[in-house]
Amino acid sequence: KAGVTQTPRYLIKTRGQQVTLSCSPISGHRSVSWYQQTPGQGLQFLFEYFSETQRNKGNFPGRFSGRQFSNSRSEMNVSTLELGDSALYLCASSLGQGTTQYFGPGTRLLVL
Amino acid sequence: GENVEQHPSTLSVQEGDSAVIKCTYSDSASNYFPWYKQELGKGPQLIIDIRSNVGEKKDQRIAVTLNKTAKHFSLHITETQPEDSAVYFCAASIGQNYGQNFVFGPGTRLSVLP
């Protein structure tokens, strides 16, 4: 069974631009969660989608948004990029509530 | 909200020795506690997990113990090998009626010296 895939793996953007990251979950998984990982703040929860609906949201500004498609693939978007948005963005999929999350390799975003 | 503390932040052990990483959580409603290993340039990989109705779980050289009363859980790695060197994260589920939401500890960088 293929694992969680994320594209692109690396991105370089400049301040003020926007970016869209993509995540394809493990086949059969309907829950997709997004995390931001930085050296200073560690792993922080962004949001979770299940069956195209956002079920949970972390404490991030509205510039961070996401969506999930009918095939469970998910995208997250960051608008008006700031230098502090430079991070590794991780996607994790699972079958649903209380089940194991499996992480993808992440997308490393650098904002200049 | 839920807070997860993790100690130590760095740990160096000799190959063959044991390593122990400890985490505490604050939300008594948390009921699922996974441990992840993250190697350089990769996403976290689940190595073991435990649910609140179990006190201990073991998988070969790796074991996890949970004390719900004290709200702490620990990862034990025996007979450490150089390939165990990585950053380890504990996590606790946030007690909610639905959803998949976790709070992670800050991580422990484990170095196994040959």
Side-chain angles (χ1 to χ4, degrees), chain B residues 92-105:
Chain B
S93 63
I94 294 180
Q96 293 179 349
N97 292 327
Y98 60 92
Q100 191 81 314
N101 191 356
F102 293 89
V103 174
F104 283 78

Side-chain angles (χ1 to χ4, degrees), chain B residues 33-84:
Chain B
F33 309 90
W35 283 89
Y36 289 88
K37 173 185 180 183
Q38 187 174 26
E39 297 173 310
L40 197 62
K42 297 183 180 180
Q45 299 298 310
L46 180 77
I47 55 172
I48 197 167
D49 55 12
I50 192 167
R51 298 189 184 275
S52 58
N53 58 347
V54 175
E56 183 174 359
K57 184 177 178 181
K58 190 174 182 181
D59 182 4
Q60 299 183 330
R61 296 186 297 108
I62 296 173
V64 57
T65 58
L66 171 65
N67 183 328
K68 282 211 69 178
T69 303
K71 297 200 191 81
H72 66 72
F73 56 113
S74 300
L75 176 71
H76 304 254
I77 306 174
T78 58
E79 300 173 23
T80 53
Q81 301 166 3
E83 51 265 38
D84 294 330

Side-chain angles (χ1 to χ4, degrees), chain A residues 2-96:
Chain A
V4 178
T5 58
Q6 292 187 244
T7 56
R9 293 292 312 276
Y10 304 92
L11 263 180
I12 300 176
K13 293 285 187 179
T14 56
R15 280 181 299 173
Q17 287 187 309
Q18 74 165 13
V19 66
T20 299
L21 312 181
S22 180
C23 171
S24 292
I26 291 172
S27 178
H29 285 191
R30 296 167 65 188
S31 171
V32 173
S33 297
W34 288 90
Y35 294 84
Q36 181 195 65
Q37 186 176 30
T38 59
Q41 299 298 318
L43 268 161
Q44 292 188 290
F45 173 76
L46 279 157
F47 30 67
E48 183 228 353
Y49 285 86
F50 184 86
S51 294
E52 302 179 65
T53 301
Q54 187 183 89
R55 286 202 300 196
N56 293 287
K57 190 177 189 307
N59 191 25
F60 278 81
R63 300 185 298 106
F64 292 81
S65 63
R67 60 178 175 168
Q68 187 179 33
F69 302 94
S70 59
N71 62 357
S72 293
R73 189 178 69 87
S74 178
E75 289 181 346
M76 70 162 280
N77 184 77
V78 187
S79 62
T80 320
L81 284 166
E82 301 177 358
L83 296 179
D85 297 334
S86 294
L88 180 67
Y89 289 89
L90 292 159
C91 161
S93 78
S94 69
L95 288 169

